[in-house]
Amino acid sequence: MNPTSPPRKQQIPVIVLAGFLGSGKTTLLNHLLRNRAGNRIGVIVNDFGSIEIDAMTVSGQVGSTVSLGNGCLCCAVDASELDTFLETLTGPAARLDVIVIEASGLAEPQELLRMILASENPHIVYGGLVEVVDAAEFDATRDRHPEIDRHLAVADLVVLNKTDRIGSEEQTRIRDVIAAAGAPGGAAAVIGAAYGRIDPQLLFDPALRPDGEEKVRQLTFEDLLRDRSAEEGGDGHEHHLHAAYDSVSFTADVPMNPRRLMEFLDSRPQGLYRIKGFVDFGVGDRANKYAVHAVGRFLRFEPQPWKRDEPRRTQLVLIGSGIAPDALHKELADCRESAAPGPDATQDAAHERSMWGVLRYVQRPDRPGDA
């Protein structure tokens, strides 16, 4: 691969899914494959036993790669092959939207995180480290695997699975332990789940396809499950999954102050997992809007030229658990400039300096692994 090759128009988020034996991460992984919101998912595992291949329509296998009938791919690799398979899965022929790495037997989550952040592959972006925890066996797991505290310290999202088997007081106690194990200044967001069922939109956005691209295709296993869920009243189940987290939508028609916004982003509250959207910095950069991608403590800005006649505004969505939506909305509102710049306003030295904090998080070709 040529590390200086230009990235594809949309970078592919790479999500690391970790958890000890019995936590339910395999169940969660298969849940994502069945409820993928139209996304084509590439899964990297240590062996195919982690994926319920028999429950899918297998359309072909080449070497260590299984092609699933719903447009998803599954690769069985070891850690030394990770970069090679990431290159394969991010190629145009794969046409994937999301990549999930199932950490069991592959490498320690911290090591996988470092490998992704240091990767020279320009087509990927870090999508978060998700640690799945067995709520019913939490203390026993900590006794058997004391290293779980290290995993919790670097996790961006903790899925407290099997909460249907414990009471609310016990769940609160475990959440407190997880918060204490978190990294200073930013413990992971924690959401409860039963049978590994979480809303996929916590991890990735619904796929947007060109009109007609998927109108004519083979019926998939996911379609059958969706139809059966609808027959059984599955709409309430979907609503229940969404109720496990909070989301905040913010729009501003005046530019954001770069320094104030960076102060907000540098002090993100506990429980805030993802931030996505576009920011207008006004005179700070009149030519570009800035796509923002934040997962846990990871932050990336990507300048993108404004389209002709495109409204100049900031649009952000914040997703988390246990957050205060009204307070977050007010904090963002306080980051706005007092007024929109005049049509003749130009960037001066003060405006240029105000953008330095933002530009620290813009990836450059000579800094493939910056964050």
Side-chain angles (χ1 to χ4, degrees), residues 156-212:
D156 300 302
L157 176 68
V158 175
V159 176
L160 191 57
N161 196 28
K162 307 183 186 179
T163 52
D164 55 312
R165 294 172 54 188
I166 63 172
S168 58
E169 289 186 5
E170 176 67 359
Q171 188 174 156
T172 298
R173 182 189 70 83
I174 294 173
R175 286 174 178 266
D176 290 342
V177 173
I178 292 172
V190 181
I191 63 163
Y195 304 102
R197 295 171 184 160
I198 65 171
D199 190 332
Q201 291 193 53
L202 262 171
L203 307 183
F204 46 76
D205 299 328
L208 297 176
R209 301 275 177 229
D211 289 344

Side-chain angles (χ1 to χ4, degrees), residues 99-347:
I99 294 173
V100 178
I101 300 176
E102 209 269 46
S104 293
L106 198 59
E108 278 286 298
Q110 302 95 312
E111 182 60 26
L112 287 172
L113 189 153
R114 284 192 291 269
M115 292 169 72
I116 294 167
L117 292 178
S119 174
E120 295 185 350
N121 187 328
H123 308 302
I124 65 172
V125 65
Y126 178 63
L129 171 57
V130 180
E131 181 79 17
V132 185
V133 173
D134 183 344
E137 298 290 334
F138 181 71
D139 292 332
T141 301
R142 289 185 83 203
D143 289 341
R144 288 194 305 270
H145 304 286
E147 64 271 26
I148 190 175
D149 284 4
R150 294 202 309 270
H151 295 190
L152 294 171
V154 297
D156 300 302
L157 176 68
V158 175
V159 176
L160 191 57
N161 196 28
K162 307 183 186 179
T163 52
D164 55 312
R165 294 172 54 188
I166 63 172
S168 58
E169 289 186 5
E170 176 67 359
Q171 188 174 156
T172 298
R173 182 189 70 83
I174 294 173
R175 286 174 178 266
D176 290 342
V177 173
I178 292 172
V190 181
I191 63 163
Y195 304 102
R197 295 171 184 160
I198 65 171
D199 190 332
Q201 291 193 53
L202 262 171
L203 307 183
F204 46 76
D205 299 328
L208 297 176
R209 301 275 177 229
D211 289 344
E213 183 175 334
E214 290 199 339
K215 284 183 180 177
V216 180
R217 60 179 175 84
Q218 188 177 14
L219 185 69
T220 69
F221 190 68
E222 182 185 7
D223 296 326
L224 296 175
L225 283 175
R226 188 185 300 112
D227 290 344
R228 187 175 70 183
S229 177
E231 291 172 3
E232 297 172 353
D235 290 345
H237 170 69
E238 215 170 282
H239 174 75
H240 174 71
L241 293 183
H242 182 75
Y245 65 93
D246 301 301
S247 62
V248 179
S249 296
F250 175 81
T251 302
D253 291 322
V254 296
M256 305 295 280
N257 180 283
R259 285 199 176 98
R260 290 201 290 268
L261 183 63
M262 288 310 303
E263 287 174 4
F264 170 81
L265 293 173
D266 286 340
S267 59
R268 302 197 284 283
Q270 179 178 328
L272 183 55
Y273 174 57
R274 289 180 67 202
I275 304 175
K276 57 184 180 179
F278 297 92
V279 180
D280 173 21
F281 287 118
V283 183
D285 188 343
R286 295 299 294 264
N288 294 296
K289 60 184 176 182
Y290 281 70
V292 59
H293 169 76
V295 179
R297 292 169 290 276
F298 177 85
L299 176 63
R300 173 71 49 77
F301 281 106
E302 180 189 353
Q304 299 177 2
W306 289 104
K307 296 177 182 177
R308 181 176 296 182
D309 299 327
E310 181 179 0
R312 303 284 178 115
R313 64 168 60 107
T314 293
Q315 295 178 296
L316 296 172
V317 176
L318 294 76
I319 299 173
S321 175
I323 58 178
D326 291 343
L328 285 173
H329 199 280
K330 183 182 183 302
E331 287 185 57
L332 284 170
D334 291 342
C335 296
R336 295 175 298 184
E337 298 282 13
S338 56
D344 298 325
T346 57
Q347 187 186 61

